[in-house]
Amino acid sequence: EKDELEEELFKLRKATIAGSVSKGIKETLKSLESNRCKQVYLCSEGDDESYKKCIKEFCDLYNVPLVEIQERYLIRDTVMMGTPSEMIILKAREKGKTPKIMPNCHVAAILEYGDVNAKLEQEK
């Protein structure tokens, strides 16, 4: 299962680098509604069950594969939003403080399976 997760996160990272990812609940819902999503990643940890239910229902409705991720900051770090969470946690612990990891990202969607080299070729 770990290898499968790493493979899925690799696909998400490649799409992120190629600029083909929706990040966050609003962007992902808009992308689902416009039928642009190839795959959705959803963190099963989190505080709002209603948005998770909504994302799952939209994925079913539009027949989009859903990958559920257990670890809280894994999607955020994979789509490269802000300073990596490990660094924030480490710095906070060094100072004896509680880490505040912002921005958060509990959901993301691949719009196109990205290849940064293909993207560079298109821009030439």
Side-chain angles (χ1 to χ4, degrees):
E1 187 176 294
K2 187 178 181 183
D3 290 339
E4 193 175 306
L5 175 61
E6 286 177 14
E7 188 177 309
E8 291 297 339
L9 292 174
F10 182 70
K11 282 196 284 189
L12 181 59
R13 175 61 60 103
K14 278 180 66 175
T16 299
I17 292 168
S20 302
V21 172
S22 288
K23 303 171 189 173
I25 183 76
K26 288 179 186 176
E27 277 188 38
T28 301
L29 284 173
K30 284 181 189 177
S31 298
L32 279 164
E33 285 179 315
S34 62
N35 216 9
R36 294 174 47 220
C37 295
K38 305 291 186 208
Q39 189 160 332
V40 173
Y41 295 80
L42 177 65
C43 181
S44 56
E45 264 188 34
D47 40 21
D48 192 347
E49 291 298 319
S50 62
Y51 92 79
K52 286 191 274 189
K53 183 180 177 201
C54 185
I55 291 288
K56 288 177 183 181
E57 287 175 358
F58 270 57
C59 285
D60 284 343
L61 179 66
Y62 293 101
N63 202 26
V64 175
L66 176 68
V67 177
E68 290 198 57
I69 307 290
Q70 300 296 319
E71 296 177 47
R72 185 170 188 90
Y73 303 115
L74 205 48
I75 295 173
R76 175 198 183 276
D77 289 342
T78 303
V79 298
M80 300 181 283
M81 289 184 70
T83 304
S85 57
E86 286 181 8
M87 289 179 64
I88 295 170
I89 292 167
L90 185 64
K91 293 253 185 222
R93 286 185 181 152
E94 285 175 359
K95 295 178 180 180
K97 296 183 178 182
T98 303
K100 294 178 183 153
I101 299 174
M102 298 296 279
N104 222 335
C105 185
H106 293 288
V107 63
I110 292 178
L111 305 178
E112 291 293 330
Y113 289 106
D115 182 349
V116 72
N117 295 325
K119 180 101 172 164
L120 292 172
E121 286 298 315
Q122 286 176 346
E123 291 175 1
K124 284 184 178 179

